[in-house]
Amino acid sequence: MKTLTVKSRKATEFIDITREVEGAVAESGVREGVVTVYTPHTTTAILINENDPRLLSDYEKILEKLVPKGAGYAHDPGEGNAHAHLRSALIGPAKSVPVSAGRPVLGTWQRIFFVELDGPRTRRVMVQAIQ
Ligand code: ZN
């Protein structure tokens, strides 16, 4: 298993980690199998979708619309980050991708994103390829 360190710079940020995941799979030596990309935090997520800046701003808007910040959540007194936990639960902490010929099998427009939902912070992403 390979651990990536990701530094976010904003409160909400979509960071394309496709190259790092491809590198970890190549390093693992797995040719045919599956790779799991997992973030061990409660206010981050892993997303697979298109890396288009306009679309990324649409994601940010829809997250704000679905789970507005400070909408009277029980978890908010103290940390004030309930929205980040709830948004993380919507997207999920992990994704699995098939591996073939030593590479994650992604569609033409698919990229793997680490999603920061309570940044800026230094975070971890685990990448594990198995045969
Ligand atoms: Zn919290």
PDB file of all heavy atoms in Angstrom, residues 58-91:
ATOM      1  N   ASP A  58     -19.319  23.794 -10.398  1.00  0.00           N
ATOM      2  CA  ASP A  58     -20.698  23.293 -10.268  1.00  0.00           C
ATOM      3  C   ASP A  58     -20.818  22.319  -9.088  1.00  0.00           C
ATOM      4  O   ASP A  58     -21.800  22.358  -8.339  1.00  0.00           O
ATOM      5  CB  ASP A  58     -21.152  22.582 -11.549  1.00  0.00           C
ATOM      6  CG  ASP A  58     -21.406  23.550 -12.697  1.00  0.00           C
ATOM      7  OD1 ASP A  58     -21.684  24.734 -12.441  1.00  0.00           O
ATOM      8  OD2 ASP A  58     -21.328  23.102 -13.861  1.00  0.00           O
ATOM      9  N   TYR A  59     -19.821  21.424  -8.939  1.00  0.00           N
ATOM     10  CA  TYR A  59     -19.838  20.502  -7.786  1.00  0.00           C
ATOM     11  C   TYR A  59     -19.864  21.285  -6.487  1.00  0.00           C
ATOM     12  O   TYR A  59     -20.598  20.963  -5.558  1.00  0.00           O
ATOM     13  CB  TYR A  59     -18.578  19.619  -7.756  1.00  0.00           C
ATOM     14  CG  TYR A  59     -18.502  18.564  -8.814  1.00  0.00           C
ATOM     15  CD1 TYR A  59     -17.340  18.386  -9.550  1.00  0.00           C
ATOM     16  CD2 TYR A  59     -19.576  17.726  -9.059  1.00  0.00           C
ATOM     17  CE1 TYR A  59     -17.244  17.424 -10.523  1.00  0.00           C
ATOM     18  CE2 TYR A  59     -19.490  16.749 -10.026  1.00  0.00           C
ATOM     19  CZ  TYR A  59     -18.319  16.603 -10.757  1.00  0.00           C
ATOM     20  OH  TYR A  59     -18.227  15.649 -11.720  1.00  0.00           O
ATOM     21  N   GLU A  60     -19.021  22.309  -6.435  1.00  0.00           N
ATOM     22  CA  GLU A  60     -18.936  23.103  -5.218  1.00  0.00           C
ATOM     23  C   GLU A  60     -20.292  23.750  -4.915  1.00  0.00           C
ATOM     24  O   GLU A  60     -20.740  23.744  -3.770  1.00  0.00           O
ATOM     25  CB  GLU A  60     -17.846  24.168  -5.404  1.00  0.00           C
ATOM     26  CG  GLU A  60     -17.115  24.447  -4.120  1.00  0.00           C
ATOM     27  CD  GLU A  60     -15.894  25.347  -4.312  1.00  0.00           C
ATOM     28  OE1 GLU A  60     -15.153  25.157  -5.304  1.00  0.00           O
ATOM     29  OE2 GLU A  60     -15.704  26.217  -3.468  1.00  0.00           O
ATOM     30  N   LYS A  61     -20.932  24.269  -5.959  1.00  0.00           N
ATOM     31  CA  LYS A  61     -22.242  24.913  -5.784  1.00  0.00           C
ATOM     32  C   LYS A  61     -23.306  23.911  -5.337  1.00  0.00           C
ATOM     33  O   LYS A  61     -24.134  24.218  -4.483  1.00  0.00           O
ATOM     34  CB  LYS A  61     -22.681  25.583  -7.088  1.00  0.00           C
ATOM     35  CG  LYS A  61     -22.029  26.932  -7.294  1.00  0.00           C
ATOM     36  CD  LYS A  61     -22.518  27.571  -8.597  1.00  0.00           C
ATOM     37  CE  LYS A  61     -21.477  28.548  -9.131  1.00  0.00           C
ATOM     38  NZ  LYS A  61     -21.439  28.584 -10.596  1.00  0.00           N
ATOM     39  N   ILE A  62     -23.307  22.735  -5.935  1.00  0.00           N
ATOM     40  CA  ILE A  62     -24.343  21.743  -5.593  1.00  0.00           C
ATOM     41  C   ILE A  62     -24.134  21.224  -4.170  1.00  0.00           C
ATOM     42  O   ILE A  62     -25.102  20.979  -3.439  1.00  0.00           O
ATOM     43  CB  ILE A  62     -24.424  20.601  -6.646  1.00  0.00           C
ATOM     44  CG1 ILE A  62     -25.777  19.868  -6.553  1.00  0.00           C
ATOM     45  CG2 ILE A  62     -23.329  19.588  -6.513  1.00  0.00           C
ATOM     46  CD1 ILE A  62     -26.938  20.627  -7.117  1.00  0.00           C
ATOM     47  N   LEU A  63     -22.871  21.106  -3.741  1.00  0.00           N
ATOM     48  CA  LEU A  63     -22.606  20.698  -2.357  1.00  0.00           C
ATOM     49  C   LEU A  63     -23.134  21.749  -1.388  1.00  0.00           C
ATOM     50  O   LEU A  63     -23.742  21.424  -0.359  1.00  0.00           O
ATOM     51  CB  LEU A  63     -21.106  20.471  -2.128  1.00  0.00           C
ATOM     52  CG  LEU A  63     -20.507  19.190  -2.727  1.00  0.00           C
ATOM     53  CD1 LEU A  63     -18.990  19.187  -2.575  1.00  0.00           C
ATOM     54  CD2 LEU A  63     -21.113  17.938  -2.100  1.00  0.00           C
ATOM     55  N   GLU A  64     -22.931  23.025  -1.717  1.00  0.00           N
ATOM     56  CA  GLU A  64     -23.407  24.119  -0.865  1.00  0.00           C
ATOM     57  C   GLU A  64     -24.944  24.143  -0.824  1.00  0.00           C
ATOM     58  O   GLU A  64     -25.548  24.405   0.203  1.00  0.00           O
ATOM     59  CB  GLU A  64     -22.846  25.456  -1.382  1.00  0.00           C
ATOM     60  CG  GLU A  64     -23.252  26.687  -0.591  1.00  0.00           C
ATOM     61  CD  GLU A  64     -22.852  26.661   0.893  1.00  0.00           C
ATOM     62  OE1 GLU A  64     -21.747  26.173   1.197  1.00  0.00           O
ATOM     63  OE2 GLU A  64     -23.661  27.112   1.720  1.00  0.00           O
ATOM     64  N   LYS A  65     -25.558  23.807  -1.962  1.00  0.00           N
ATOM     65  CA  LYS A  65     -27.016  23.795  -2.050  1.00  0.00           C
ATOM     66  C   LYS A  65     -27.609  22.613  -1.263  1.00  0.00           C
ATOM     67  O   LYS A  65     -28.581  22.762  -0.535  1.00  0.00           O
ATOM     68  CB  LYS A  65     -27.416  23.667  -3.525  1.00  0.00           C
ATOM     69  CG  LYS A  65     -28.755  24.247  -3.872  1.00  0.00           C
ATOM     70  CD  LYS A  65     -28.892  24.267  -5.398  1.00  0.00           C
ATOM     71  CE  LYS A  65     -30.085  25.058  -5.840  1.00  0.00           C
ATOM     72  NZ  LYS A  65     -30.155  25.142  -7.315  1.00  0.00           N
ATOM     73  N   LEU A  66     -27.007  21.424  -1.436  1.00  0.00           N
ATOM     74  CA  LEU A  66     -27.521  20.219  -0.780  1.00  0.00           C
ATOM     75  C   LEU A  66     -27.262  20.239   0.721  1.00  0.00           C
ATOM     76  O   LEU A  66     -28.107  19.830   1.516  1.00  0.00           O
ATOM     77  CB  LEU A  66     -26.875  18.966  -1.383  1.00  0.00           C
ATOM     78  CG  LEU A  66     -27.279  18.593  -2.803  1.00  0.00           C
ATOM     79  CD1 LEU A  66     -26.389  17.474  -3.327  1.00  0.00           C
ATOM     80  CD2 LEU A  66     -28.742  18.170  -2.853  1.00  0.00           C
ATOM     81  N   VAL A  67     -26.047  20.667   1.083  1.00  0.00           N
ATOM     82  CA  VAL A  67     -25.646  20.675   2.494  1.00  0.00           C
ATOM     83  C   VAL A  67     -25.035  22.040   2.820  1.00  0.00           C
ATOM     84  O   VAL A  67     -23.818  22.211   2.828  1.00  0.00           O
ATOM     85  CB  VAL A  67     -24.615  19.544   2.788  1.00  0.00           C
ATOM     86  CG1 VAL A  67     -24.354  19.450   4.282  1.00  0.00           C
ATOM     87  CG2 VAL A  67     -25.077  18.203   2.246  1.00  0.00           C
ATOM     88  N   PRO A  68     -25.893  23.044   3.057  1.00  0.00           N
ATOM     89  CA  PRO A  68     -25.378  24.388   3.338  1.00  0.00           C
ATOM     90  C   PRO A  68     -24.559  24.408   4.639  1.00  0.00           C
ATOM     91  O   PRO A  68     -24.856  23.649   5.561  1.00  0.00           O
ATOM     92  CB  PRO A  68     -26.641  25.239   3.493  1.00  0.00           C
ATOM     93  CG  PRO A  68     -27.781  24.396   3.051  1.00  0.00           C
ATOM     94  CD  PRO A  68     -27.356  22.971   3.126  1.00  0.00           C
ATOM     95  N   LYS A  69     -23.565  25.269   4.649  1.00  0.00           N
ATOM     96  CA  LYS A  69     -22.744  25.429   5.854  1.00  0.00           C
ATOM     97  C   LYS A  69     -23.578  26.092   6.956  1.00  0.00           C
ATOM     98  O   LYS A  69     -24.343  27.009   6.692  1.00  0.00           O
ATOM     99  CB  LYS A  69     -21.520  26.289   5.503  1.00  0.00           C
ATOM    100  CG  LYS A  69     -20.472  26.309   6.572  1.00  0.00           C
ATOM    101  CD  LYS A  69     -19.247  27.113   6.146  1.00  0.00           C
ATOM    102  CE  LYS A  69     -18.253  27.160   7.297  1.00  0.00           C
ATOM    103  NZ  LYS A  69     -17.051  27.922   6.945  1.00  0.00           N
ATOM    104  N   GLY A  70     -23.444  25.593   8.190  1.00  0.00           N
ATOM    105  CA  GLY A  70     -24.066  26.236   9.353  1.00  0.00           C
ATOM    106  C   GLY A  70     -25.578  26.243   9.356  1.00  0.00           C
ATOM    107  O   GLY A  70     -26.204  27.206   9.784  1.00  0.00           O
ATOM    108  N   ALA A  71     -26.185  25.142   8.885  1.00  0.00           N
ATOM    109  CA  ALA A  71     -27.652  25.095   8.811  1.00  0.00           C
ATOM    110  C   ALA A  71     -28.257  24.493  10.080  1.00  0.00           C
ATOM    111  O   ALA A  71     -29.249  23.753  10.013  1.00  0.00           O
ATOM    112  CB  ALA A  71     -28.087  24.326   7.565  1.00  0.00           C
ATOM    113  N   GLY A  72     -27.659  24.772  11.213  1.00  0.00           N
ATOM    114  CA  GLY A  72     -28.210  24.319  12.494  1.00  0.00           C
ATOM    115  C   GLY A  72     -27.948  22.867  12.823  1.00  0.00           C
ATOM    116  O   GLY A  72     -28.745  22.227  13.519  1.00  0.00           O
ATOM    117  N   TYR A  73     -26.825  22.323  12.368  1.00  0.00           N
ATOM    118  CA  TYR A  73     -26.499  20.917  12.619  1.00  0.00           C
ATOM    119  C   TYR A  73     -26.107  20.699  14.079  1.00  0.00           C
ATOM    120  O   TYR A  73     -25.467  21.552  14.694  1.00  0.00           O
ATOM    121  CB  TYR A  73     -25.344  20.466  11.714  1.00  0.00           C
ATOM    122  CG  TYR A  73     -25.585  20.742  10.259  1.00  0.00           C
ATOM    123  CD1 TYR A  73     -24.837  21.702   9.576  1.00  0.00           C
ATOM    124  CD2 TYR A  73     -26.577  20.055   9.557  1.00  0.00           C
ATOM    125  CE1 TYR A  73     -25.059  21.968   8.235  1.00  0.00           C
ATOM    126  CE2 TYR A  73     -26.801  20.318   8.214  1.00  0.00           C
ATOM    127  CZ  TYR A  73     -26.040  21.276   7.563  1.00  0.00           C
ATOM    128  OH  TYR A  73     -26.270  21.541   6.236  1.00  0.00           O
ATOM    129  N   ALA A  74     -26.454  19.518  14.607  1.00  0.00           N
ATOM    130  CA  ALA A  74     -26.144  19.180  16.002  1.00  0.00           C
ATOM    131  C   ALA A  74     -24.641  19.131  16.256  1.00  0.00           C
ATOM    132  O   ALA A  74     -24.179  19.410  17.363  1.00  0.00           O
ATOM    133  CB  ALA A  74     -26.779  17.822  16.348  1.00  0.00           C
ATOM    134  N   HIS A  75     -23.842  18.772  15.238  1.00  0.00           N
ATOM    135  CA  HIS A  75     -22.381  18.644  15.391  1.00  0.00           C
ATOM    136  C   HIS A  75     -21.667  19.997  15.376  1.00  0.00           C
ATOM    137  O   HIS A  75     -20.498  20.076  15.763  1.00  0.00           O
ATOM    138  CB  HIS A  75     -21.838  17.749  14.255  1.00  0.00           C
ATOM    139  CG  HIS A  75     -20.358  17.528  14.273  1.00  0.00           C
ATOM    140  ND1 HIS A  75     -19.744  16.649  15.145  1.00  0.00           N
ATOM    141  CD2 HIS A  75     -19.354  18.064  13.525  1.00  0.00           C
ATOM    142  CE1 HIS A  75     -18.433  16.653  14.920  1.00  0.00           C
ATOM    143  NE2 HIS A  75     -18.169  17.505  13.940  1.00  0.00           N
ATOM    144  N   ASP A  76     -22.351  21.060  14.958  1.00  0.00           N
ATOM    145  CA  ASP A  76     -21.662  22.337  14.733  1.00  0.00           C
ATOM    146  C   ASP A  76     -21.100  23.053  15.967  1.00  0.00           C
ATOM    147  O   ASP A  76     -20.002  23.592  15.884  1.00  0.00           O
ATOM    148  CB  ASP A  76     -22.535  23.292  13.906  1.00  0.00           C
ATOM    149  CG  ASP A  76     -22.210  23.183  12.412  1.00  0.00           C
ATOM    150  OD1 ASP A  76     -21.183  22.562  12.080  1.00  0.00           O
ATOM    151  OD2 ASP A  76     -22.980  23.720  11.590  1.00  0.00           O
ATOM    152  N   PRO A  77     -21.806  23.077  17.109  1.00  0.00           N
ATOM    153  CA  PRO A  77     -21.199  23.772  18.255  1.00  0.00           C
ATOM    154  C   PRO A  77     -19.820  23.176  18.557  1.00  0.00           C
ATOM    155  O   PRO A  77     -19.687  21.966  18.697  1.00  0.00           O
ATOM    156  CB  PRO A  77     -22.183  23.502  19.392  1.00  0.00           C
ATOM    157  CG  PRO A  77     -23.485  23.251  18.718  1.00  0.00           C
ATOM    158  CD  PRO A  77     -23.137  22.552  17.418  1.00  0.00           C
ATOM    159  N   GLY A  78     -18.796  24.049  18.600  1.00  0.00           N
ATOM    160  CA  GLY A  78     -17.424  23.561  18.785  1.00  0.00           C
ATOM    161  C   GLY A  78     -16.671  23.635  17.482  1.00  0.00           C
ATOM    162  O   GLY A  78     -16.110  24.661  17.140  1.00  0.00           O
ATOM    163  N   GLU A  79     -16.721  22.540  16.702  1.00  0.00           N
ATOM    164  CA  GLU A  79     -15.913  22.452  15.478  1.00  0.00           C
ATOM    165  C   GLU A  79     -16.476  23.252  14.298  1.00  0.00           C
ATOM    166  O   GLU A  79     -15.720  23.712  13.450  1.00  0.00           O
ATOM    167  CB  GLU A  79     -15.793  21.000  15.026  1.00  0.00           C
ATOM    168  CG  GLU A  79     -14.753  20.193  15.778  1.00  0.00           C
ATOM    169  CD  GLU A  79     -14.618  18.814  15.172  1.00  0.00           C
ATOM    170  OE1 GLU A  79     -13.818  18.653  14.241  1.00  0.00           O
ATOM    171  OE2 GLU A  79     -15.347  17.908  15.619  1.00  0.00           O
ATOM    172  N   GLY A  80     -17.786  23.345  14.201  1.00  0.00           N
ATOM    173  CA  GLY A  80     -18.411  24.094  13.105  1.00  0.00           C
ATOM    174  C   GLY A  80     -18.202  23.482  11.734  1.00  0.00           C
ATOM    175  O   GLY A  80     -18.274  24.180  10.724  1.00  0.00           O
ATOM    176  N   ASN A  81     -17.965  22.170  11.686  1.00  0.00           N
ATOM    177  CA  ASN A  81     -17.683  21.559  10.378  1.00  0.00           C
ATOM    178  C   ASN A  81     -18.639  20.418  10.022  1.00  0.00           C
ATOM    179  O   ASN A  81     -18.283  19.527   9.244  1.00  0.00           O
ATOM    180  CB  ASN A  81     -16.231  21.082  10.305  1.00  0.00           C
ATOM    181  CG  ASN A  81     -15.944  19.926  11.254  1.00  0.00           C
ATOM    182  OD1 ASN A  81     -16.796  19.566  12.073  1.00  0.00           O
ATOM    183  ND2 ASN A  81     -14.774  19.345  11.132  1.00  0.00           N
ATOM    184  N   ALA A  82     -19.852  20.455  10.587  1.00  0.00           N
ATOM    185  CA  ALA A  82     -20.825  19.394  10.287  1.00  0.00           C
ATOM    186  C   ALA A  82     -21.060  19.275   8.779  1.00  0.00           C
ATOM    187  O   ALA A  82     -21.166  18.167   8.247  1.00  0.00           O
ATOM    188  CB  ALA A  82     -22.142  19.660  11.004  1.00  0.00           C
ATOM    189  N   HIS A  83     -21.139  20.418   8.086  1.00  0.00           N
ATOM    190  CA  HIS A  83     -21.374  20.387   6.632  1.00  0.00           C
ATOM    191  C   HIS A  83     -20.306  19.548   5.919  1.00  0.00           C
ATOM    192  O   HIS A  83     -20.601  18.822   4.979  1.00  0.00           O
ATOM    193  CB  HIS A  83     -21.397  21.815   6.061  1.00  0.00           C
ATOM    194  CG  HIS A  83     -20.087  22.518   6.182  1.00  0.00           C
ATOM    195  ND1 HIS A  83     -19.611  23.003   7.378  1.00  0.00           N
ATOM    196  CD2 HIS A  83     -19.122  22.773   5.264  1.00  0.00           C
ATOM    197  CE1 HIS A  83     -18.418  23.544   7.191  1.00  0.00           C
ATOM    198  NE2 HIS A  83     -18.099  23.415   5.914  1.00  0.00           N
ATOM    199  N   ALA A  84     -19.056  19.636   6.390  1.00  0.00           N
ATOM    200  CA  ALA A  84     -17.964  18.888   5.755  1.00  0.00           C
ATOM    201  C   ALA A  84     -18.133  17.385   5.967  1.00  0.00           C
ATOM    202  O   ALA A  84     -17.923  16.582   5.051  1.00  0.00           O
ATOM    203  CB  ALA A  84     -16.622  19.359   6.301  1.00  0.00           C
ATOM    204  N   HIS A  85     -18.524  16.974   7.188  1.00  0.00           N
ATOM    205  CA  HIS A  85     -18.780  15.551   7.461  1.00  0.00           C
ATOM    206  C   HIS A  85     -19.925  15.041   6.579  1.00  0.00           C
ATOM    207  O   HIS A  85     -19.857  13.952   6.014  1.00  0.00           O
ATOM    208  CB  HIS A  85     -19.188  15.347   8.916  1.00  0.00           C
ATOM    209  CG  HIS A  85     -18.107  15.584   9.922  1.00  0.00           C
ATOM    210  ND1 HIS A  85     -17.113  14.672  10.171  1.00  0.00           N
ATOM    211  CD2 HIS A  85     -17.883  16.635  10.762  1.00  0.00           C
ATOM    212  CE1 HIS A  85     -16.316  15.151  11.137  1.00  0.00           C
ATOM    213  NE2 HIS A  85     -16.764  16.339  11.497  1.00  0.00           N
ATOM    214  N   LEU A  86     -21.000  15.841   6.485  1.00  0.00           N
ATOM    215  CA  LEU A  86     -22.191  15.408   5.741  1.00  0.00           C
ATOM    216  C   LEU A  86     -21.904  15.338   4.243  1.00  0.00           C
ATOM    217  O   LEU A  86     -22.333  14.403   3.557  1.00  0.00           O
ATOM    218  CB  LEU A  86     -23.362  16.354   6.034  1.00  0.00           C
ATOM    219  CG  LEU A  86     -23.801  16.362   7.510  1.00  0.00           C
ATOM    220  CD1 LEU A  86     -24.745  17.512   7.799  1.00  0.00           C
ATOM    221  CD2 LEU A  86     -24.442  15.034   7.900  1.00  0.00           C
ATOM    222  N   ARG A  87     -21.143  16.302   3.721  1.00  0.00           N
ATOM    223  CA  ARG A  87     -20.767  16.289   2.294  1.00  0.00           C
ATOM    224  C   ARG A  87     -19.874  15.090   2.010  1.00  0.00           C
ATOM    225  O   ARG A  87     -19.997  14.435   0.969  1.00  0.00           O
ATOM    226  CB  ARG A  87     -20.053  17.587   1.924  1.00  0.00           C
ATOM    227  CG  ARG A  87     -20.991  18.790   1.947  1.00  0.00           C
ATOM    228  CD  ARG A  87     -20.233  20.081   1.744  1.00  0.00           C
ATOM    229  NE  ARG A  87     -21.111  21.246   1.922  1.00  0.00           N
ATOM    230  CZ  ARG A  87     -20.722  22.501   1.773  1.00  0.00           C
ATOM    231  NH1 ARG A  87     -19.464  22.774   1.442  1.00  0.00           N
ATOM    232  NH2 ARG A  87     -21.572  23.489   1.952  1.00  0.00           N
ATOM    233  N   SER A  88     -18.955  14.787   2.939  1.00  0.00           N
ATOM    234  CA  SER A  88     -18.076  13.622   2.793  1.00  0.00           C
ATOM    235  C   SER A  88     -18.901  12.336   2.697  1.00  0.00           C
ATOM    236  O   SER A  88     -18.608  11.450   1.874  1.00  0.00           O
ATOM    237  CB  SER A  88     -17.116  13.551   3.982  1.00  0.00           C
ATOM    238  OG  SER A  88     -16.563  12.260   4.097  1.00  0.00           O
ATOM    239  N   ALA A  89     -19.950  12.247   3.526  1.00  0.00           N
ATOM    240  CA  ALA A  89     -20.786  11.044   3.524  1.00  0.00           C
ATOM    241  C   ALA A  89     -21.522  10.877   2.196  1.00  0.00           C
ATOM    242  O   ALA A  89     -21.791   9.756   1.762  1.00  0.00           O
ATOM    243  CB  ALA A  89     -21.789  11.107   4.674  1.00  0.00           C
ATOM    244  N   LEU A  90     -21.844  11.991   1.524  1.00  0.00           N
ATOM    245  CA  LEU A  90     -22.533  11.913   0.229  1.00  0.00           C
ATOM    246  C   LEU A  90     -21.621  11.347  -0.864  1.00  0.00           C
ATOM    247  O   LEU A  90     -22.067  10.582  -1.719  1.00  0.00           O
ATOM    248  CB  LEU A  90     -23.015  13.303  -0.215  1.00  0.00           C
ATOM    249  CG  LEU A  90     -24.178  13.920   0.546  1.00  0.00           C
ATOM    250  CD1 LEU A  90     -24.509  15.280  -0.062  1.00  0.00           C
ATOM    251  CD2 LEU A  90     -25.396  13.015   0.508  1.00  0.00           C
ATOM    252  N   ILE A  91     -20.360  11.750  -0.858  1.00  0.00           N
ATOM    253  CA  ILE A  91     -19.439  11.336  -1.926  1.00  0.00           C
ATOM    254  C   ILE A  91     -18.755  10.011  -1.590  1.00  0.00           C
ATOM    255  O   ILE A  91     -18.542   9.180  -2.465  1.00  0.00           O
ATOM    256  CB  ILE A  91     -18.379  12.444  -2.192  1.00  0.00           C
ATOM    257  CG1 ILE A  91     -19.068  13.780  -2.492  1.00  0.00           C
ATOM    258  CG2 ILE A  91     -17.473  12.054  -3.357  1.00  0.00           C
ATOM    259  CD1 ILE A  91     -18.128  14.973  -2.487  1.00  0.00           C
TER     260      ILE A  91
END
